[in-house]
Amino acid sequence: MSVLLGEREFFPGIGPIRYEGPETDNPLAFRYYDADRVVMGKTMREHFRFSMAYWHTMCGTGMDPFGAPTKALPWLSATDPLQQARDKMDAAFEFATKLGLPFFCFHDFDLVAEAHTLAESERRLLAIAEYAKAKIAASGVRVLWGTANLFSHPRYMNGAATNPDFAVVAHAAAQVKIALDLTIALGGQGYVFWGGREGYLSLLNTDMKREREHLARFLSAARDYARKQGFQGTLLVEPKPMEPSKHQYDFDAATTLNFLREFGLERDFKLNIEVNHATLALHTFAHELQVAADAGALGSIDANRGDYQNGWDTDQFPMHVPELTEAMLVLLEAGGLEGGGINFDAKTRRNSTDLADLFYAHIGGMDAFARALLAAAAVLEKTPYRKARCERYASFDSGDGQRFERGELGLEELYQIARQRGEPSLHSGRQELFENWVYRFC
Ligand code: XUL
Ligand code: CO
């Protein structure tokens, strides 16, 4: 394999990661992720469409609010911004190629450092886009989705699309236009809006109604522009309840769907569901997937996991097979993602300072999803799980139950039926049996 195709090899000593099966002792091999293996009619590659998050994997230096960077990433050493961007991209494509990751996701200024003016930033982005196009063509690694970073720069401290100052809203819109152009130029399959600062720190100084209307206007304008440019891909909103804002308007899947419907955006936008955002909203990952799937809006997934003790957005790599199995059940029953993939929006810990740790993390995450897929498929194929769940609702399949579902019974008719039938008998929910069916394979 060529190292695609930079001048330097950034991960020397690490070759292509291959499937070696569950018995291997090789830490740089897959035990379960076998890209060509067919599970319920699709290969694992097609089920997952795994993606690398540029911001964590290429830009994450280990810096946190309490301390300096811990990770000396060799691709960040150049001082010239475009040279640094090219080195970073060489490292990104070498990494994705060695791991067999078919996609990557990026924010505009993950690719190249933001400049002091919008015009200079755009010039830099256009330059790196040309470089990226050649790398994409040479490697076959493609863009799952792009986005704009509308939360790091101080100008966004009061929000981007929901900023009380129109000048900031316009600047954010300009950034989205450029990021959409970039995503389209690189053949991106989707475009994500995550509103980290679209919310408030204090309701006392916030006109929430007006801010939400501005957000809807902003998304409409972005949608119109993207479609005018011929973008066929999926537009996605990524819900999160808080952090960095105290309260974010896209709190969770249900809130975001309500927002999209309120402003007539539901036909164009789907959801990008992130595990740790689900748990921050006090939901499970599976719950958020189910809410999105039931609305026909299950677009894409940001894969990671939180911490059960502290409740932060820790963005750890997903490793818990039972949790993922419940998620894969939802995904399989929903028929998969609508246009998206599984993006590892996850970071190695601050004290994981070896470059090999980036490989271990992604291998672990990909294997965990593969195990979960196999487990979920076994649940669906070998246990009465699905049938038993249907049977719980059998009383609505005929007779008065069916008439109720069809809207043919009013409250007076229901009153008469209840009087005739007397006290309902109890039917077990058999939760433990359902759990046994699922966890038997995890
Ligand atoms: C932040 C987060 C973002 C989005 C893209 O919690 O998940 O990285 O995925 O802006
Ligand atoms: Co995310």
Side-chain angles (χ1 to χ4, degrees):
M1 185 201 80
S2 82
V3 178
L4 284 172
L5 298 160
E7 287 159 19
R8 287 156 72 186
E9 186 175 10
F10 286 100
F11 303 96
I14 299 180
I17 308 300
R18 302 195 192 288
Y19 171 73
E20 292 185 8
E23 300 308 320
T24 186
D25 287 323
N26 179 2
L28 289 168
F30 296 117
R31 291 189 172 75
Y32 297 92
Y33 179 65
D34 182 1
D36 295 317
R37 176 165 175 186
V38 175
V39 180
M40 296 190 85
K42 277 197 281 190
T43 63
M44 285 192 174
R45 185 188 288 104
E46 290 163 338
H47 274 290
F48 296 127
R49 292 156 57 85
F50 283 128
S51 160
M52 179 198 83
Y54 221 89
W55 52 101
H56 286 310
T57 301
M58 289 300 130
C59 312
T61 59
M63 194 168 74
D64 73 9
F66 302 93
T70 54
K71 306 182 197 205
L73 302 177
W75 49 88
L76 299 186
S77 58
T79 46
D80 173 64
L82 276 170
Q83 186 56 46
Q84 187 191 74
R86 284 190 294 269
D87 290 346
K88 208 193 307 190
M89 195 161 277
D90 288 348
F93 278 81
E94 182 189 330
F95 182 76
T97 306
K98 285 183 169 176
L99 262 171
L101 287 170
F103 292 103
F104 68 99
C105 296
F106 65 87
H107 301 85
D108 43 5
F109 300 128
D110 301 335
L111 299 186
V112 62
E114 183 168 7
H116 289 298
T117 65
L118 191 63
E120 174 58 13
S121 291
E122 184 169 19
R123 200 189 62 76
R124 285 185 188 177
L125 287 166
L126 287 173
I128 198 64
E130 288 310 307
Y131 197 68
K133 278 185 202 164
K135 299 286 258 187
I136 289 169
S139 65
V141 176
R142 293 179 294 154
V143 172
L144 186 65
W145 49 258
T147 187
N149 181 331
L150 303 181
F151 44 88
S152 294
H153 194 281
R155 79 175 76 86
Y156 297 126
M157 67 181 186
N158 291 313
T162 61
N163 198 294
D165 178 359
F166 171 70
V168 180
V169 176
H171 194 102
Q175 228 185 291
V176 167
K177 177 195 174 292
I178 296 167
L180 274 167
D181 290 342
L182 189 65
T183 304
I184 294 168
L186 299 185
Q189 316 250 311
Y191 186 91
V192 162
F193 295 85
W194 170 63
R197 298 195 195 271
E198 313 295 19
Y200 59 78
L201 296 173
S202 168
L203 194 53
L204 295 176
N205 63 6
T206 301
D207 185 338
M208 183 158 74
K209 184 169 189 298
R210 213 163 170 185
E211 290 198 3
R212 289 176 70 255
E213 286 166 2
H214 292 175
L215 182 56
R217 283 258 172 272
F218 190 93
L219 292 179
S220 308
R223 182 255 338 257
D224 292 346
Y225 177 75
R227 298 300 181 219
K228 198 174 79 189
Q229 298 309 109
F231 180 64
Q232 307 278 330
T234 317
L235 298 167
L236 299 142
V237 178
E238 182 176 323
K240 185 177 182 182
M242 65 193 85
E243 200 203 291
S245 300
K246 165 191 155 63
H247 178 96
Q248 285 173 214
Y249 295 138
D250 301 323
F251 192 94
D252 61 2
T255 310
T256 306
L257 287 166
N258 176 62
F259 171 86
L260 293 172
R261 288 170 180 149
E262 182 179 347
F263 294 101
L265 295 165
E266 71 276 13
R267 276 190 310 280
D268 288 291
F269 289 84
K270 299 196 184 298
L271 303 184
N272 183 36
I273 300 294
E274 177 160 329
V275 185
N276 208 166
H277 297 181
T279 52
L280 272 181
L282 300 182
H283 301 306
T284 62
F285 178 35
H287 169 92
E288 288 293 84
L289 293 177
Q290 191 70 63
V291 171
D294 290 346
L298 183 49
S300 202
I301 285 174
D302 269 9
N304 54 26
R305 77 174 199 271
D307 180 289
Y308 292 113
Q309 278 70 51
N310 68 18
W312 303 337
D313 190 16
T314 57
D315 284 351
Q316 286 159 256
F317 272 81
M319 301 285 177
H320 288 169
V321 177
E323 192 176 84
L324 294 175
T325 302
E326 292 194 26
M328 291 312 298
L329 277 171
V330 178
L331 204 66
L332 285 176
E333 291 197 273
L337 296 166
E338 300 199 35
I342 296 191
N343 171 48
F344 287 108
D345 191 354
K347 60 186 172 208
T348 53
R349 299 303 85 193
R350 184 167 187 264
N351 58 358
S352 297
T353 49
D354 293 342
L355 291 181
D357 291 323
L358 293 172
F359 279 87
Y360 301 140
H362 285 80
I363 290 169
M366 291 160 83
D367 266 349
F369 266 94
R371 289 177 82 170
L373 174 69
L374 293 171
V379 173
L380 295 176
E381 285 171 348
K382 295 183 188 166
T383 75
Y385 163 83
R386 207 175 348 201
K387 187 160 160 277
R389 198 181 50 199
C390 281
E391 280 168 5
R392 286 192 81 202
Y393 299 88
S395 62
F396 293 94
D397 291 341
S398 59
D400 290 336
Q402 191 176 51
R403 291 177 63 213
F404 170 78
E405 276 198 351
R406 288 179 178 158
E408 292 167 8
L409 297 179
L411 214 56
E412 283 130 323
E413 284 100 347
L414 291 167
Y415 168 84
Q416 290 302 342
I417 291 167
R419 289 212 30 176
Q420 281 157 18
R421 291 198 180 188
E423 182 61 28
S425 52
L426 298 183
H427 300 286
S428 173
R430 300 191 293 173
Q431 179 176 326
E432 295 76 12
L433 179 60
F434 276 79
E435 287 171 344
N436 290 350
W437 283 330
V438 173
Y439 295 127
R440 176 180 151 194
F441 297 101
C442 300

